Amino acid sequence: MRNGVRLALDPGNARIGVAVSDPSGILASPLETIPRGRGDKNRIALLVLEKEAREVVVGYPASLSGEEGPAARSAREFAAALAGLLHPVPVRLVDERLTTVTAQGHLLSGASFSKKGAKGGRARRTVIDQAAATVLLQSALDQERSTGRPPGEIVRSSQGES
C-alpha cells in the first residue's frame, strides 16, 4: 500500500464533492463541497497543495453496460483538465457506479438526516456530494489494499502530461 494523502472528487453538474484520506492511505473522510464552475479547478489545486496530496481520484460514472455516456465523458474531460493543471500530481479515473446511492443510503439511516438534521435540499445535496466522494475514496483505498495496485486508470491531460 502506498503512503500519502489522496483527494477524491465526485464531480456533478452543480457541485463537486471532495474527500481526503489520512496520510497512511487507510481512511477516507469528507472534506468540502465546491460549487462547479469558475474557479473550481483552482480550488482543487489549492487543496492538493494544502493537503500535500500524492494523487487525485475522480469519480467515473460508467454505465452499467460499461459504455461511456455523457456523464462519463464529462468526468473524463474534467479529469483531463485537472491532470494538466495538477501535473506532476497524478489524476485517476475510478469507477463510481452507485457511490451516490450508497452515500445517500448511509446518510438517510444516520442521525445527520433525522428530523433535526440537514432537512433543506441544498444542505442535503452538499452533504451527499461529500459522502459520495468519501465512499469513492474509501472504495479506491480498499481496492488498492486488496490488489496491491493503484485503482482506476491514469488520466493524461490534453497537453500529453500524465
Side-chain angles (χ1 to χ4, degrees), residues 11 36 41 58-62 66-84 91-96 152-158:
R36 188 76 188 255
K41 292 173 194 72
V58 176
Y60 179 73
E67 293 184 26
E68 188 171 273
R73 279 191 297 277
S74 176
R76 185 176 296 282
E77 290 166 6
F78 178 78
L82 269 180
V91 174
R92 296 182 166 281
L93 281 174
V94 174
D95 188 354
E96 68 157 20
E153 86 182 68
I154 197 82
V155 176
R156 306 227 182 260
S157 77
S158 56

Side-chain angles (χ1 to χ4, degrees), residues 83-154:
L85 180 63
L86 300 178
H87 184 76
V89 175
V91 174
R92 296 182 166 281
L93 281 174
V94 174
D95 188 354
E96 68 157 20
R97 280 181 274 193
L98 308 178
T99 56
T100 301
V101 173
T102 300
Q104 190 169 11
H106 289 179
L107 289 169
L108 287 172
S109 67
S112 66
F113 274 56
S114 70
K115 291 180 184 176
K116 295 180 182 177
K119 294 193 305 186
R122 182 176 298 158
R124 182 173 288 190
R125 287 187 299 271
T126 296
V127 171
I128 289 171
D129 293 334
Q130 289 178 34
T134 304
V135 169
L136 168 69
L137 183 53
Q138 191 63 57
S139 174
L141 294 170
D142 293 346
Q143 181 181 350
E144 182 173 339
R145 197 169 17 269
S146 69
T147 65
R149 292 187 312 272
E153 86 182 68
I154 197 82

